[in-house]
Amino acid sequence: MAVVITLQGVVPADVAVGLSPLAELMACLHSIAEPEHHLDVRPWLERVSAALSEESKSLLTVHAPLWNRRRCRVLLPLALPLGRTLEQELARLEALPLDEFVTVVAPGVHGGVFDTRDLLIDESVQSAYVLSSERRSFSRGELARRLLQAPEQMRAGLLELLRRCAAEFFDAEWARVQHRLESECARVRARIQALPLPEALASLSPNAVVGQNPPAVVFDKLQSLRADLYGRRCLLVPSAHARPHLIVKDDPPYPVVVHFPVEWMDSTNPVERATLAQVRLRLAILSEPARLELCRHLVNEPITTSDLSVRTGMSLPQVSRHLGRLREAGLLTSRRDGRQIYHRLDTDCLMHLVVDVLTSIIR
């Protein structure tokens, strides 16, 4: 399964890069609703959850289907320009024609596959939509009823909740990440001008590849989607909170949106995330019983090759080969002290492997 964006006849001018605080707020709300998907920001999630009012927590639970599994398209940019303030984006949402609001929100409320084309005009489709949403979850069924029976009231409630979140935690968080995201926009724009377009888009994810005939970028995701950009616009929106999810939304007549994660690099504690190939390599290397036995010694203290040979009963060439494989996977650190070389397991890398495995599964 993969998401494929075809680029035949597409030029750099068709691709816009910019910020969307509303999209970033949705990414934050997703991580609050699905904390098990976001282990690397757990301290931030704990702080935000502790600071939220009880009323906001209750309202977030009610509206969670809008940002849980299938991100609601109305919370991503529907048109240019990018770079508006959150209040400007909320005002645009508030001014959206009510029929259009229902149409664009309905797939997100359902969260699965349902043909909503006749939802506004066919009562039988409306009944089937509510029933199908309810079968997915009680909360989705309730939201589906509200959307069809009182769309203006539902929109007003959603806007009130989003403004509550802005006041309680998001305004401060946006002030923290905005400059980082602006810098990423500048880098992506530069790549779009310097590289072939498929390569520039593939640079948004370590698990993307460039396709040929037609030119395309292929994102490895647990989703099947093929979006043709010819004659359309594509909006690239970076996110500090979307990780590990790269989201591609293709909902004509709106532009294709790629909401892509940006690694927050702390210069005092940089973390280099593993690619899917690296995760597979590390798991394969650790699965070998002899190497796993060596790891039990390497994790406790720096140790030489000869000491490992004595402790495990393996020959020196065997130990050297296994150490080479661990080093190849980035799991081993070595330092020279005089004539001796001491090896130790890179426990930070091993700890991040747990997160990297989860990221590979849920991306």
Side-chain angles (χ1 to χ4, degrees):
M1 302 179 76
V3 171
V4 181
I5 300 178
T6 59
L7 300 161
Q8 183 73 50
V10 180
V11 298
D14 296 326
V15 181
V17 187
L19 301 188
S20 169
L22 182 56
E24 189 68 11
L25 175 53
M26 179 172 64
C28 291
L29 296 178
H30 171 80
S31 63
I32 291 170
E34 302 281 357
E36 63 275 10
H37 288 188
H38 302 270
L39 299 177
D40 48 355
V41 293
R42 180 154 291 179
W44 179 84
L45 289 172
E46 290 173 350
R47 290 196 303 272
V48 169
S49 297
L52 282 171
S53 66
E54 291 303 317
E55 185 172 0
S56 293
K57 289 179 182 178
S58 176
L59 290 171
L60 286 175
T61 300
V62 170
H63 291 85
L66 296 177
W67 42 75
N68 269 9
R69 181 177 179 274
R70 183 173 180 176
R71 312 305 189 280
C72 189
R73 183 64 179 84
V74 80
L75 300 178
L76 291 165
L78 297 176
L80 293 172
L82 297 172
R84 294 190 175 193
T85 66
L86 177 61
E87 190 51 44
Q88 287 173 330
E89 289 192 297
L90 294 179
R92 183 162 59 180
L93 171 56
E94 198 166 14
L96 203 65
L98 201 55
D99 285 355
E100 187 175 352
F101 173 79
V102 173
T103 301
V104 74
V105 169
V109 168
H110 184 274
V113 179
F114 190 94
D115 188 349
T116 60
R117 283 176 296 181
D118 295 327
L119 189 62
L120 297 175
I121 59 174
D122 191 327
E123 291 186 2
S124 64
V125 173
Q126 293 173 4
S127 298
Y129 170 75
V130 172
L131 180 60
S132 180
S133 298
E134 194 168 52
R135 284 174 176 166
R136 292 184 60 78
S137 75
F138 175 79
S139 58
R140 290 188 185 277
E142 288 298 296
L143 273 184
R145 286 191 182 87
R146 286 180 57 198
L147 179 64
L148 296 180
Q149 296 173 5
E152 189 65 67
Q153 180 182 346
M154 177 178 171
R155 175 164 60 180
L158 174 61
L159 288 166
E160 179 186 356
L161 173 59
L162 295 173
R163 290 186 170 111
R164 271 178 168 272
C165 291
E168 292 187 22
F169 73 90
F170 182 71
D171 284 346
E173 183 62 10
W174 182 248
R176 186 179 78 90
V177 304
Q178 182 177 1
H179 178 70
R180 171 70 180 90
L181 297 180
E182 287 173 342
S183 298
E184 183 64 21
C185 286
R187 278 189 283 271
V188 173
R189 291 189 193 106
R191 289 199 294 268
I192 289 173
Q193 295 302 317
L195 299 173
L197 201 51
E199 292 182 25
L201 294 188
S203 73
L204 301 180
S205 169
N207 298 312
V209 296
V210 173
Q212 305 294 335
N213 300 319
V217 58
V218 182
F219 296 105
D220 181 19
K221 289 186 61 66
L222 194 64
Q223 176 187 2
S224 292
L225 174 66
R226 190 175 186 89
D228 185 359
L229 281 192
Y230 181 72
R232 303 178 64 191
R233 299 303 298 269
C234 180
L235 312 182
L236 308 182
V237 181
S239 170
H241 285 270
R243 178 180 162 77
H245 309 292
L246 179 142
I247 306 300
V248 180
K249 302 291 285 186
D250 179 22
D251 300 278
Y254 307 113
V256 173
V257 172
V258 181
H259 194 216
F260 64 95
V262 174
E263 190 65 59
W264 183 271
M265 293 301 291
D266 181 349
S267 59
T268 63
N269 187 28
V271 176
E272 182 180 350
R273 294 301 182 186
T275 65
L276 180 58
Q278 288 172 321
V279 170
R280 287 173 173 163
L281 175 64
R282 288 169 181 172
L283 291 176
I285 286 175
L286 288 172
S287 68
E288 211 284 336
R291 275 182 222 119
L292 203 56
E293 176 64 22
L294 285 176
C295 288
R296 297 179 63 189
H297 298 279
L298 290 162
V299 76
N300 292 317
E301 60 180 335
I303 188 170
T304 65
T305 304
S306 56
D307 283 342
L308 282 169
S309 177
V310 171
R311 292 189 189 188
T312 62
M314 299 183 205
S315 68
L316 284 172
Q318 286 177 313
V319 172
S320 294
R321 282 195 299 271
H322 288 312
L323 292 178
R325 292 289 282 161
L326 291 169
R327 187 177 296 106
E328 175 189 355
L331 296 168
L332 188 72
T333 62
S334 302
R335 64 175 177 83
R336 180 178 292 277
D337 186 0
R339 300 179 62 183
Q340 299 290 342
I341 297 177
Y342 290 86
H343 311 287
R344 190 162 191 177
L345 198 65
D346 188 336
T347 53
D348 284 342
C349 181
L350 201 58
M351 289 292 290
H352 286 303
L353 181 58
V354 177
V355 177
D356 291 332
V357 170
L358 182 61
T359 298
S360 299
I361 292 171
I362 65 177
R363 68 181 181 280

